Amino acid sequence: MRHPDDGAELDPRQRAWVDVEADAIRSNVRLIRSEQLGHATRLMAVVKADGYGHGALAVARAAAEGGACQFGVATLAEGIELRRGGIEAPVLVLGNLIDAASLAQCVRWNLMPTLSDPDQARHCHDLARAGGRRLAVHLKVDTGMSRLGVPLGDALPLAEAIQELEGLELAGVYSHLAMADGPPDGRADAVTRRQQEAFRGLLASLQDREIRCGLRHLANSAGTLRDRALHHDLVRVGLALYGHSPSGHLATPGGLRPALHLRARVTLVRSIGAGVGVSYGHHFISSRPMRLAVVAIGYADGVPRLLSGRMEVLHRGRSLPQVGAITMDQLMIDASGCPDLQAGDTVTLLGSSGAAVLSPAEWSDQCGTIPWEILCGFKHRLPRLPAAAPEAVECGQH
């Protein structure tokens, strides 16, 4: 059976999509560098998890234009994606690579693996020597996260061993903060201080042994905003890169802009009377005649079902409540107070519409989770697109 094909492509904005503002990424990097970092401190843009749901390659390009000098990814595939996309700056694989085949790909694609044990170091050395080159690596040290990294007591011998391996270049030593985003209640400060002291102690020992450790880095976004003493040579900026604070009590540079705008089309507008159940389970029953709009997005796209009846959308800057259970592909909104809303119009679920803004923190607070999970939860059936002009969105042209 032949299928018709006139060469026309589907409009990526025909249903639901994510608008990504590259200029917001560029601006956020510049702002963090100018207002938070000392002159000698560099910025690594963390673009793992597909750039926190924004599209890793587009984010990396924009961050580089803003002044990011390195990139952090979680997986080998994420690093290779950047290389294939033309990113030539240093890329650190933050996750643990445990087999020789994966480490060989780091050599091939010039990615920096994270080393946490001697076996990894020996594998990398042998592979680099076989390829006739040196491989830049970073040593990770566990100072209190109890996740990845060599135990603190074993870090100095491992660093010494790496320096003796001719195929390796120790390009960095780092650790990760466990509670830098915690409230200023004493405990978070105490844990962060202990980690900083442990890290500084190791760095002093490395210096005493004349071990060249490359870039020293400890601070994530929370550490970057919390205390300049945590910055060292490099900071690894994730959530703040995308325009959000890791915690409400951490002051962010004025002017950080959310880069992601989640939008969807209204596909049907209908009227119902009082006493009518809406969506699965009839958990919502209308108390009055209502004008309902069906929006073409649901939990299969990454809108948590837990938000049912607890979220709002924006239409031309006006807030409209969501009603009934969020379904796999649709959700319903009460458009009774918005007589000009029609099928084909665009609504905004996260991001800006006119002067109004909806933040992922509003969703995460309702769901008992964190903004990171919200942003990383948007599925790949949502196209990531360069942000349209605000007036085009407001007029329903996109």
Side-chain angles (χ1 to χ4, degrees), residues 81-385:
E81 178 189 1
L82 295 187
R83 289 287 185 249
R84 284 179 169 154
I87 300 297
E88 297 180 354
V91 176
L92 175 62
V93 181
L94 299 161
N96 235 27
L97 302 177
I98 59 175
D99 60 273
S102 296
L103 294 169
Q105 291 296 314
C106 286
V107 176
R108 176 186 174 189
W109 292 97
N110 193 26
L111 304 171
M112 299 183 296
T114 289
L115 302 187
S116 298
D117 64 56
D119 287 341
Q120 288 176 299
R122 285 190 290 271
H123 280 314
C124 287
H125 166 73
D126 293 344
L127 292 163
R129 294 288 284 172
R133 53 170 295 183
R134 297 185 78 201
L135 178 65
V137 300
H138 283 230
L139 172 63
K140 185 166 188 180
V141 183
D142 180 16
T143 58
M145 183 75 174
S146 301
R147 193 175 61 175
L148 298 180
V150 62
L152 185 62
D154 298 330
L156 184 58
L158 181 52
E160 290 177 323
I162 292 171
Q163 182 161 269
E164 294 299 316
L165 295 172
E166 295 179 357
L168 301 185
E169 173 196 351
L170 187 55
V173 174
Y174 76 106
S175 189
H176 192 68
L177 296 169
M179 291 188 67
D181 59 342
D185 61 359
R187 182 165 177 259
D189 286 337
V191 170
T192 302
R193 184 171 57 252
R194 284 199 300 271
Q195 288 194 261
Q196 167 78 316
E197 290 170 354
F199 191 60
R200 281 179 168 169
L202 172 64
L203 297 178
S205 297
L206 293 172
Q207 185 173 10
D208 290 343
R209 301 288 183 92
E210 298 184 347
I211 296 174
R212 298 179 300 277
C213 62
L215 296 174
R216 304 161 296 177
H217 49 113
L218 177 64
N220 50 10
S221 285
T224 300
L225 299 174
R226 191 180 192 101
D227 187 350
R228 277 198 177 194
L230 300 169
H231 290 182
H232 298 282
D233 300 318
L234 177 79
V235 294
R236 305 184 304 273
V237 179
L239 194 66
L241 173 71
Y242 305 99
H244 305 286
S245 173
S247 186
H249 69 274
L250 290 174
T252 57
L256 274 186
R257 290 161 48 195
L260 179 146
H261 309 272
L262 177 63
R263 311 200 198 273
R265 294 276 192 187
V266 174
T267 58
L268 181 69
V269 179
R270 62 186 304 163
S271 296
I272 63 172
V276 175
V278 176
S279 194
Y280 290 117
H282 284 188
H283 301 295
F284 176 85
I285 297 176
S286 59
S287 60
R288 52 176 169 75
M290 295 177 65
R291 191 167 183 262
L292 284 184
V294 180
V295 181
I297 192 170
Y299 62 76
D301 299 292
V303 181
R305 195 169 183 273
L306 281 171
L307 289 175
S308 297
R310 303 161 73 184
M311 63 174 287
E312 298 175 335
V313 305
L314 300 173
H315 179 254
R316 301 181 187 178
R318 291 171 294 186
S319 177
L320 304 174
Q322 187 274 326
V323 296
I326 294 170
T327 69
M328 185 179 291
D329 312 299
Q330 323 282 340
L331 57 81
M332 280 63 75
I333 57 176
D334 179 0
S336 303
C338 190
D340 60 332
L341 184 142
Q342 301 294 331
D345 282 1
T346 296
V347 297
T348 297
L349 290 86
L350 286 179
S352 62
S353 172
V357 179
L358 293 173
S359 164
E362 296 177 55
W363 283 20
S364 61
D365 288 347
Q366 289 288 349
C367 294
T369 183
I370 54 177
W372 292 262
E373 184 176 10
I374 297 298
L375 292 172
C376 293
F378 297 127
K379 305 302 191 295
H380 285 286
R381 75 175 186 173
L382 292 174
R384 271 62 170 178
L385 303 171

